[in-house]
Amino acid sequence: MFTSDRDGVVGHVDGDNWRWAGTLMELAGFQKAKSGYHALPLDDLDRAREVMLALRVLAETAGIQLAPSPERYIGDFALDVIEHLPGAWTARVENYSLRVWQEDLAACLWSTGHVADTLDHHRVPRAAILKRDDGTELVVLKDPRLDVYHVGALLPIDLSHELLVTPPPGVTVQPDAPSAAHLIHTRLLPVYTRAVLHTRASDMADTLAWAHETFPDGTVPDPAPPLLVDAFARFTDSAPIVIAAVRDLGTLDEHETAFLQQADDIAVAPDTGTGPVPVAPHPDLLAWWLAEGGDRLVELALRTVENTQPAAAKAPLAAGPMRALPPAPRSSSPAPRR
């Protein structure tokens, strides 16, 4: 049981009797949130006392232990942090009543370091998930022994672990929201963006390698083969994220800036009905992708990855092997989702 600045009294359940414990809180008058915890607002103190008394009686009858926690509620810390992060973020708290649920979270974790060690070697009954409007997800864990939090990135749902890309290391932050947000913004998010860029650029390079091998002269039959159309669709799915990352991390000259704008205009403008569609006229989108656009975007992306890599870890970046068949979408085997 926690006292929350925003939610009042918050109850998280733990152990094999989690269903029964949750039922008792609901019978007593707690409200259940979507992510699994229960809350009792304190705007009506008389009712709150009645609900807590009822919960104590029900718990004693059922043999369920009530354990008040002196810790600050992790949901309050998470909401304070996102108030200091640039961009549009939401925060939620997940309750892992059983160890296997915690293992599901560990399977989705991309970051290394203390955040991964905590999930691997300690019982973690709850965590805060921070989500940005572009789909970026971070996990916040309370250290079981120290008054600090460990923050790491979750693997994007449409990426996989297959490629040899260095995962973004997690960070350890103090329980002070402004300084925690600053460390997340300056240390964790840039390396996360770089890792996503590296993964997607390598995907693009693999797809182009297949396309160039299959259509070596750069001409596309009419009508275009479905496999080629699918490959181009994967390019248009990834291109907005790649372009945004290159703009965010890279140092561009005026010609490269103009090319990125051209790529935006030609192939990757979103359409709410049917997905990415061109917004600028072009006689042959597939030919532009095969002859110019795809290779140039991959080149810019991989150069940005190389230039933002720590000097001690720098190594030549491979563009991927030539393939006899078009590579399958990476989303065909994503990491488990909670």
Side-chain angles (χ1 to χ4, degrees):
M1 308 297 293
F2 298 87
T3 301
S4 167
D5 298 337
R6 296 170 173 85
D7 295 325
V9 179
V10 176
H12 281 261
V13 297
D14 189 17
D16 293 336
N17 290 330
W18 61 273
R19 290 184 184 273
W20 186 224
T23 299
L24 293 185
M25 281 192 282
E26 292 177 40
L27 288 174
F30 278 69
Q31 301 170 1
K32 185 177 181 180
K34 289 182 179 180
S35 53
Y37 68 88
H38 296 75
L40 173 63
L42 296 178
D43 49 356
D44 185 341
L45 292 180
D46 290 337
R47 181 180 180 278
R49 292 188 189 96
E50 293 175 1
V51 171
M52 290 302 298
L53 178 60
L55 179 62
R56 188 180 69 179
V57 172
L58 289 169
E60 289 176 352
T61 302
I64 299 293
Q65 181 183 3
L66 298 180
S69 175
E71 291 184 358
R72 187 185 183 201
Y73 182 50
I74 194 171
D76 290 340
F77 176 70
L79 288 171
D80 286 348
V81 167
I82 65 173
E83 290 179 356
H84 297 277
L85 283 175
W89 292 80
T90 58
R92 70 181 188 275
V93 177
E94 294 188 346
N95 190 172
Y96 313 120
S97 304
L98 301 177
R99 177 81 188 211
V100 67
W101 298 353
Q102 174 185 331
E103 293 169 359
D104 287 343
L105 174 66
C108 298
L109 184 68
W110 199 11
S111 285
T112 56
H114 292 303
V115 64
D117 291 341
T118 299
L119 275 177
D120 287 343
H121 300 115
H122 298 278
R123 181 70 177 96
V124 179
R126 69 198 64 85
I129 307 296
L130 314 183
K131 186 172 183 178
R132 195 165 57 187
D133 58 355
D134 65 355
T136 298
E137 286 187 298
L138 309 178
V139 60
V140 181
L141 307 177
K142 176 69 172 65
D143 188 283
R145 296 164 297 182
L146 304 173
D147 189 22
V148 295
Y149 294 88
H150 304 303
V151 187
L154 300 183
L155 186 72
I157 194 169
D158 58 344
L159 297 186
S160 78
H161 292 284
E162 295 175 14
L163 291 170
L164 297 178
V165 173
T166 302
V171 296
T172 298
V173 301
Q174 297 297 321
D176 173 70
S179 65
H182 177 74
L183 199 61
I184 292 169
H185 176 60
T186 59
R187 290 272 302 278
L188 176 56
L189 289 175
V191 292
Y192 168 84
T193 300
R194 178 189 176 278
V196 171
L197 175 61
H198 192 181
T199 304
R200 292 191 181 278
S202 298
D203 257 347
M204 285 182 169
D206 284 348
T207 303
L208 278 167
W210 166 81
H212 289 321
E213 181 182 20
T214 307
F215 305 97
D217 57 358
T219 59
V220 179
D222 187 17
L227 287 178
L228 186 63
V229 173
D230 289 344
F232 178 71
R234 292 201 298 277
F235 168 79
T236 61
D237 285 342
S238 290
I241 300 171
V242 170
I243 291 171
V246 171
R247 284 171 170 160
D248 184 38
L249 300 175
T251 301
L252 306 171
D253 61 31
E254 60 178 331
H255 300 292
E256 292 161 345
T257 300
F259 165 74
L260 290 181
Q261 186 59 55
Q262 179 193 44
D264 258 336
D265 292 341
I266 289 177
V268 299
D271 176 21
T272 55
T274 59
V277 295
V279 296
H282 194 279
D284 192 334
L285 291 174
L286 288 175
W288 171 84
W289 169 56
L290 289 173
E292 175 188 0
D295 285 325
R296 192 167 182 192
L297 185 57
V298 167
E299 179 186 355
L300 273 176
L302 292 179
R303 192 189 72 194
T304 301
V305 171
E306 176 70 15
N307 290 344
T308 56
Q309 187 176 10
K314 283 192 174 182
L317 296 175
M322 298 290 283
R323 299 182 183 225
L325 293 174
R330 294 288 178 187
S331 57
S332 61
S333 57
R337 302 314 292 176
R338 302 170 314 285

